[in-house]
Amino acid sequence: MTLSTSAPSFRDWLSQRTNSELAELLGNRPDALVPLPPSFASLATRLSLRSSLARALADCNAQQLAVLEEIARRGGELEEVADPNPQVTRELKARGLVFGEVMIPRELMPALPTRWSLLDQLTVDPEAIADLPADEAHIVRT
């Protein structure tokens, strides 16, 4: 579901944060502060670098990662999309991983390992595990 026809830029969104919102975001992303960025444009660029995004993603929990994946599936790298989980989205905005109404930086998903997914998990029937030979069942249970 598209919410707007003109997607906001991360830099513009960042420049509109209050001092307390910026302090929280930078507390979550201290790597962007060394050396001190001279402008919002350079800060936005640093926060959008794949390496910085990867560090921020490493601090996310499974629910936050799943929400990011859902936003990406809805096209949130290209345009604003419907919010799949407002509480988690607020947490992700505080990390600079979601911006605007609901968008993600274009380098966010590429910062994750190739073919990574929480939403596409293989499900296994518990009876299939129960039917495994003892040596294989031992491996599954460890």
Side-chain angles (χ1 to χ4, degrees):
M1 175 176 152
T2 302
L3 298 180
S4 75
T5 57
S6 65
S9 76
F10 181 67
R11 184 191 66 198
D12 290 343
W13 176 82
L14 188 64
S15 69
Q16 295 169 3
R17 300 304 91 213
T18 65
N19 286 344
S20 62
E21 289 170 331
L22 277 174
E24 182 179 16
L25 191 152
L26 295 172
N28 289 323
R29 304 279 298 277
D31 62 294
L33 293 175
V34 179
L36 195 61
S39 66
F40 274 106
S42 62
L43 177 60
T45 298
R46 287 185 195 176
L47 290 169
S48 299
L49 292 173
R50 193 177 294 186
S51 58
S52 179
L53 291 166
R55 282 189 287 275
L57 289 166
D59 292 332
C60 289
N61 62 38
Q63 185 180 28
Q64 292 166 335
L65 292 169
V67 168
L68 289 168
E69 186 177 357
E70 181 61 30
I71 292 169
R73 285 185 175 189
R74 295 178 183 199
E77 294 165 304
L78 304 173
E79 62 187 2
E80 292 182 315
V81 297
D83 192 341
N85 186 323
Q87 172 61 37
V88 174
T89 299
R90 280 190 294 279
E91 296 167 7
L92 294 167
K93 283 184 177 183
R95 295 171 183 262
L97 299 175
V98 171
F99 68 98
E101 288 300 316
V102 179
M103 286 188 73
I104 57 175
R106 290 184 187 207
E107 287 295 311
L108 185 91
M109 295 311 285
L112 291 165
T114 303
R115 298 184 189 256
W116 175 92
S117 176
L118 281 175
L119 301 180
D120 291 332
Q121 295 295 310
L122 178 66
T123 57
V124 178
D125 181 8
E127 291 178 16
I129 294 173
D131 293 339
L132 288 172
D135 58 333
E136 292 177 13
H138 173 70
I139 292 170
V140 172
R141 291 187 183 99
T142 58

